[in-house]
Amino acid sequence: MELYGFEKSDPALFDLAMVQKEADGGRTDSAQIDRIQERPEAESLIVSGLDQKAFEYLIRRFGRQFKTISFWKNKLVCDLSPLSGLPELQYVHFFFNQRAPDLWDMRDNVCLRGLTVCDFTKLHSIARVASAPALEYFSIGDRVWPGMEIESLRPLTRSSVSHFAWWGKRVLDRDYLCLAQSGIRELDLPVGGFRLEELARLNAKMPGVRGTVTRPYSESTVIRQGEETTWYLLCKGRKRLLKGRDEEKLKAYLEEFDRLVKRYRSETG
């Protein structure tokens, strides 16, 4: 499975799908897990409804078979450390968990290239990401409603991550400029959480960076009574603009952003 494809929740994209029909993920037990032995060629798995016991059983018995695992709605898993024993695992995706307070020691996950963590209610530290020797892509935050809070992004300065995406509610120390000390070359952040000056300063500190952080707006489309309306959502404190009507205002706004980036870059250069 290609990088980023592992984030998809469509069971058809995986060699093996063990997703229960219940809205909360249902329950998957050891008897259901044992059916994996019928598919020894499968290298990618999406699974829901694991509790801690079933999670450990899956990893212990079949974990080394898979290069990609998507844990979709396994809200009762509280300890992710069994994943440390999977050196050939390449991509891991988590969606929705209410128990796990931390990630796991990744030093032995020598093939791990991609990790996504979505909608974890008790996770507040990404310190253990720095232990992953080959991690390239790391995404964390919320897919349903922004609520996640993490302490700091500083662990990324000690990591191998080159593409980072944050979609949560708040970074508690508000230090985004620390990312300039990292090896990140592509950065995706919700620009609506920044003032224009803050976003410009971050871009000035990270010349050549790619991603959503380089554009000081996002687009939002609403369809009402069959009519489609698209808004430009700007940085914090700036009013949204209507696409197709406010193009001149958007142009002036982008020019202001470019001027700020050049100004801050000259101050630091």
Side-chain angles (χ1 to χ4, degrees):
M1 181 171 290
E2 295 294 327
L3 190 61
Y4 311 133
F6 74 101
E7 288 193 322
K8 305 297 183 182
S9 59
D10 182 358
L13 297 176
F14 294 81
D15 295 335
L16 186 56
M18 303 182 69
V19 178
Q20 308 304 321
K21 294 181 179 180
E22 292 87 340
D24 65 352
R27 295 296 294 272
T28 297
D29 58 25
S30 59
Q32 293 167 298
I33 293 170
D34 282 340
R35 297 190 62 182
I36 293 175
Q37 62 190 334
E38 301 171 9
R39 296 287 307 279
E41 82 290 352
E43 294 186 343
S44 61
L45 168 70
I46 182 170
V47 59
S48 73
L50 300 173
D51 59 16
Q52 185 65 34
K53 183 178 179 180
F55 173 75
E56 293 180 8
Y57 182 76
L58 169 66
I59 300 304
R60 182 174 65 252
R61 179 139 193 225
F62 297 105
R64 286 178 177 257
Q65 175 176 330
F66 298 102
K67 294 180 179 179
T68 300
I69 305 178
S70 177
F71 295 100
W72 188 78
K73 291 190 177 181
N74 298 275
K75 62 182 181 179
L76 301 179
V77 176
C78 57
D79 179 9
L80 305 178
S81 63
L83 293 170
S84 297
L86 304 181
E88 296 183 5
L89 189 62
Q90 295 181 11
Y91 307 116
V92 184
H93 173 254
F94 294 97
F95 171 69
F96 188 57
N97 180 282
Q98 296 177 318
R99 298 284 181 87
D102 203 354
L103 297 174
W104 72 98
D105 186 340
M106 305 177 199
R107 72 185 72 184
D108 293 327
N109 299 120
V110 293
C111 293
L112 186 63
R113 295 177 56 201
L115 172 62
T116 298
V117 180
C118 301
D119 296 273
F120 270 46
T121 58
K122 292 190 176 182
L123 178 67
H124 303 297
S125 171
I126 62 170
R128 286 187 162 176
V129 168
S131 68
L135 191 64
E136 301 172 15
Y137 175 77
F138 176 48
S139 175
I140 185 169
D142 302 283
R143 288 293 184 262
V144 178
W145 186 261
M148 182 180 284
E149 296 182 343
I150 57 175
E151 297 165 358
S152 177
L153 300 178
R154 283 202 162 271
L156 293 170
T157 66
R158 304 186 298 275
S159 78
S160 60
V161 173
S162 58
H163 184 172
F164 173 61
W166 162 245
W167 305 110
K169 180 181 180 180
R170 184 179 298 116
V171 176
L172 296 179
D173 68 3
R174 286 290 301 174
D175 183 6
Y176 293 92
L177 294 179
C178 71
L179 297 178
Q181 303 168 30
S182 73
I184 292 171
R185 299 189 297 275
E186 189 162 353
L187 182 59
D188 295 320
L189 300 173
V191 298
F194 295 84
R195 293 193 177 278
L196 189 65
E197 295 79 7
E198 293 174 327
L199 192 65
R201 194 177 295 278
L202 180 59
N203 275 266
K205 287 280 189 177
M206 301 181 71
V209 73
R210 304 185 304 274
T212 64
V213 72
T214 63
R215 190 175 73 169
Y217 70 92
S218 61
E219 295 187 19
S220 176
T221 299
V222 178
I223 300 177
R224 292 178 179 173
Q225 297 180 344
E227 293 189 7
E228 185 176 286
T229 302
T230 299
W231 296 92
Y232 297 119
L233 307 180
L234 310 185
C235 285
K236 186 188 297 184
R238 302 296 183 103
K239 294 183 178 180
R240 65 182 182 176
L241 302 176
L242 182 62
K243 188 172 185 177
R245 184 194 68 184
D246 296 325
E247 303 304 319
E248 287 300 316
K249 291 181 180 179
L250 179 67
K251 180 181 178 181
Y253 173 76
L254 294 177
E255 290 173 348
E256 180 184 0
F257 177 69
D258 288 341
R259 285 195 299 271
L260 286 169
V261 172
K262 291 177 182 178
R263 170 186 156 191
Y264 294 141
R265 194 166 289 164
S266 66
E267 292 175 355
T268 58

